[in-house]
Amino acid sequence: MKRKLAALVCACLLLTGCGTSQAAPEQTPLQKTLFAMDTTMDLQVYSDDKTLLEDAAALVEELESHLSTTRVGSDIYTLNHSGSATLSPDTAQVMGRALEMCRDTDHALDISIYPVVRAWGFTTGSYQVPSRETLDQLLPMVDADRIDFDPATRSAAIPEGKEVDLGAVGKGYTGDRLSTLLRDRGVTSALLNLGGNVQAVGTKPDGSPWRIAVQDPLNADGFLGVLTIADEAAITSGGYERYFEDEAGNVYWHIIDPATGCPAHSGLLSVTVVGPEGLRCDALSTSLFVMGAEKAEAYWRAHQDFQMILLTEDFQLLLTEGLADRFTLPENSPYTPMVLSAEAQN
Ligand code: ADP
Ligand code: MG
């Protein structure tokens, strides 16, 4: 796995809102930047109600205090350290949906991957390549089906040695909750960039869709293309977001294949998923990256409630047909997009 990615940027630059409003001056958005969930978040909200931003920031803080794996006393910390916990309504919601997605993706997503993620040092930044023996000892712990969760009582329990990590879906859920908060308070126009996970409330104030740039994983200064979105999430996962390199130049990234315990090498460099629900898009961006192009395409055909953009290691840019008119490549793009049709190929 020799791949020099030294020039690549962190997740916070992954997707950048580039749709500044062309609306009248009185429609200047309220703006707030905060650091939470290990990333930089930018909120852009068209409203006169300045308390909205404070309330949005408080909601992010509250969600992090429940969902975090590292904060002492969070639902997930308690579950991981004592083997059982009664989850807050938000954590229970994320847990229930995430477990469904683990099953639905045939465990390409597995929220019990945490012991393996830690063995690679991604939880602390003290990176290391674990031995095969260590991984083989940890892999039996990775099986989300063995998480005992009762949505009615919100009680969760895990066997000894097992640990849960909602990192692959938490920011998507946070985007959903923020969007609902803003809509409930009458906002019809907002763009939320949660460390590269973009969530749009409505359209730009002039009624046109938001335009967001999708990062090119091979060129920190470039972008794959500009995507138009309205009232939906656009969420990207890529190997280049968080990774380390060993002395031989091998690159190891933070998305792990639960089947092997190693960074997923499925032939993809990045996956962007566009759809109405942030949590599902977040779960899918991670799991389709693990699956690789062929399985991702089959999954899309079977479900078709989302659209996606895949960049492969051999520089193929694949777009599902629903994005054909919504994704514009820059003039000097090195890529020729191939549009995937919903009709199964023979
Ligand atoms: P990010 O949150 O960095 O934008 P992702 O949504 O793809 O990226 O989530 C990656 C995080 O999810 C990792 O940092 C790790 O904590 C966790 N993770 C890695 N591989 C998996 C997996 N196969 N299933 C579930 N969670 C994973
Ligand atoms: Mg994800």
Side-chain angles (χ1 to χ4, degrees):
M1 73 165 99
K2 287 205 176 184
R3 184 171 300 277
K4 289 274 181 192
L5 295 175
L8 298 178
V9 286
C10 65
C12 61
L13 293 178
L14 183 58
L15 277 160
T16 314
C18 62
T20 51
S21 170
Q22 291 159 8
E26 64 269 22
Q27 287 181 300
T28 304
L30 301 171
Q31 263 174 316
K32 188 171 183 76
T33 301
L34 55 143
F35 189 83
M37 301 185 175
D38 213 15
T39 196
T40 303
M41 302 186 172
D42 287 302
L43 314 180
Q44 198 182 108
V45 180
Y46 286 84
S47 171
D48 296 329
D49 180 359
K50 293 202 172 70
T51 65
L52 271 177
L53 290 180
E54 298 316 314
D55 293 347
L59 175 59
V60 172
E61 163 58 28
E62 187 192 335
L63 292 174
E64 185 170 19
S65 76
H66 295 315
L67 298 171
S68 167
T69 40
T70 51
R71 274 210 205 174
V72 179
S74 80
D75 294 344
I76 298 304
Y77 186 94
T78 305
L79 178 63
N80 287 345
H81 286 79
S82 65
S84 65
T86 301
L87 307 179
S88 66
D90 279 308
T91 313
Q93 180 70 18
V94 180
M95 179 71 88
R97 288 288 286 130
L99 288 174
E100 275 169 34
M101 291 297 298
C102 292
R103 287 189 288 270
D104 192 48
T105 60
D106 213 5
H107 291 253
L109 182 82
D110 196 306
I111 57 168
S112 62
I113 195 80
Y114 198 60
V116 177
V117 172
R118 198 201 355 257
W120 286 90
F122 287 113
T123 53
T124 56
S126 300
Y127 301 126
Q128 57 179 338
V129 179
S131 67
R132 190 63 250 171
E133 195 187 1
T134 302
L135 292 174
D136 286 343
Q137 275 166 6
L138 293 174
L139 276 178
M141 296 298 144
V142 181
D143 180 3
D145 288 344
R146 291 181 61 210
I147 299 171
D148 192 6
F149 172 59
D150 179 356
T153 57
R154 303 198 309 269
S155 57
I158 50 175
E160 176 88 38
K162 194 178 268 299
E163 288 176 281
V164 170
D165 170 14
L166 297 174
V169 293
K171 278 184 280 165
Y173 179 74
T174 302
D176 290 332
R177 286 284 271 111
L178 286 173
S179 300
T180 304
L181 170 93
L182 296 174
R183 284 193 193 102
D184 287 351
R185 300 266 292 267
V187 173
T188 56
S189 186
L191 192 67
L192 314 172
N193 186 343
L194 312 185
N197 284 11
V198 178
Q199 197 113 4
V201 173
T203 61
K204 291 203 282 185
D206 65 6
S208 65
W210 297 100
R211 290 161 49 77
I212 62 166
V214 179
Q215 177 68 48
D216 182 349
L218 293 171
N219 178 5
D221 301 322
F223 54 97
L224 285 182
V226 173
L227 181 65
T228 57
I229 58 170
D231 256 329
E232 62 201 330
I235 295 188
T236 302
S237 286
Y240 63 97
E241 296 176 278
R242 191 168 302 199
Y243 65 93
F244 69 97
E245 205 168 328
D246 69 11
E247 281 164 7
N250 299 308
V251 170
Y252 304 96
W253 48 62
H254 71 315
I255 302 177
I256 306 289
D257 183 344
T260 63
C262 293
H265 275 268
S266 63
L268 289 175
L269 290 177
S270 73
V271 176
T272 299
V273 178
V274 184
E277 187 196 2
L279 185 148
R280 179 159 166 79
C281 293
D282 204 357
L284 284 176
S285 68
T286 308
S287 49
L288 299 181
F289 185 89
V290 172
M291 286 184 202
E294 215 171 291
K295 284 188 186 162
E297 205 177 318
Y299 185 96
W300 171 70
R301 286 216 176 85
H303 294 80
Q304 294 191 38
D305 61 335
F306 67 96
Q307 302 295 326
M308 63 182 184
I309 302 165
L310 308 178
L311 184 68
T312 71
E313 282 181 344
D314 44 13
F315 315 119
Q316 265 196 308
L317 183 62
L318 307 172
L319 295 181
T320 51
E321 61 184 8
L323 294 182
D325 299 332
R326 295 172 48 189
F327 188 69
T328 313
L329 278 76
E331 247 172 38
N332 55 354
S333 173
Y335 307 108
T336 308
M338 192 177 123
V339 176
L340 302 174
S341 116
E343 300 290 311
Q345 313 286 300
N346 292 314

